Amino acid sequence: MLKPENFYISFCAYAVNFMNVRVHHPVEALRMLGANVAVHQKEIGFPPDAPENAVRIMVLQRAFLSKDAWPALVKKAIQQNWLLVVEYDDYPENPFNAAKRANSLDWERFRMCHGVQTSTSDLQSVFSDYNEYVGLFENQLFRMPPPINRGDKAVRVFFGALNRKDAWKPLVGSFNRVLKAHPNLQPVVLHDKEFFDALESDRKVFQPSCPYEKYLQLLHSCDISLQPLNDSVFNRYKSDIKFVEAAAGGLAVLASPTVYGKTIQHGETGLIADQPRAWEEAFSRLASDSALRKQLGANAKEYVMRERLLIDHIRDRLVWYGQLWDKREQINQRLQETYPELAG
């Protein structure tokens, strides 16, 4: 394997909401290994100081360039001896970015590049239909949080997600019945004001959108995390990062089988519920059984420390980048044969 200091990596990040887990934390970890990494927010950057013998990787995160700009960028990368890697960690047919997709190459982006990196095995399978070189780098935790000691006796219940109304709306009646039966519960809601308003509790707390570190502090001040996720094509390709973040703080997680059923061991590292009645029963168990909460949280935290810390996986990226670099001539040939406009 090439030494980390031989790698020059340019991260071009476009999706601000995902920059910590998919950009900033991997960048920090790569720098800790000794790699040369630059970050460009919402712009393209070819660092001019990369030596001729360096491994040159440009990672383009969630970019929607125009149909003319994308081929021009790929051609420039080939001419300047850089590899263009597309970083994408969601199913591309996102209902919230239809306009951007219409003005871009959409799915063709994943073919017109040197490689694709993503966060789940399901996405890896999807992108493999377009590109032979797809690197799988699951979302990991950058560091374990410090313990938080609270003096109050409330059992704090965290909910923090965007665009989950389809998931929580059928369950809000169940949630309210549990809140009524267990007045020691204190709901803590991040982002979703509509969900907050639907909860029937005089102890509930609302936090608007906030920086990532503050989100983690708020999350880790709680005892239970509710993670409902509706079963849809788009949602099935999401990662389990919300479970990992909650588990790192020792929270007892109650989640939907979509996505989380692949990671959570029901009854060991969390609870899985599919129907409203199952959600109500499981939530009620967590509310009344402190020993169960603590055991699930401890088991989940041990899982994260054992398997989901970024520092234990970051070298895999350099290995994959190095393998991609060794194949750059044949990849360039494939690109130029498939897209003649990239030649010359």
Side-chain angles (χ1 to χ4, degrees), residues 119-137:
S119 58
T120 73
S121 58
D122 289 333
L123 284 172
Q124 182 183 38
S125 178
V126 167
F127 294 135
S128 293
D129 290 339
Y130 294 83
N131 199 302
E132 181 180 354
Y133 304 104
V134 182
L136 172 59
F137 308 117

Side-chain angles (χ1 to χ4, degrees), residues 25-46:
H25 292 168
V27 164
E28 288 188 52
L30 287 167
R31 286 172 175 166
M32 288 168 62
L33 294 181
N36 303 278
V37 190
V39 178
H40 305 270
Q41 188 168 332
K42 295 190 176 182
E43 64 178 3
I44 306 298
F46 286 93

Side-chain angles (χ1 to χ4, degrees), residues 35-71:
N36 303 278
V37 190
V39 178
H40 305 270
Q41 188 168 332
K42 295 190 176 182
E43 64 178 3
I44 306 298
F46 286 93
D49 58 342
E52 286 295 325
N53 62 344
V55 176
R56 306 175 179 199
I57 308 292
M58 173 176 285
V59 181
L60 198 59
Q61 184 249 4
R62 289 202 181 200
F64 286 92
L65 303 184
S66 70
K67 295 177 182 178
D68 293 326
W70 191 277

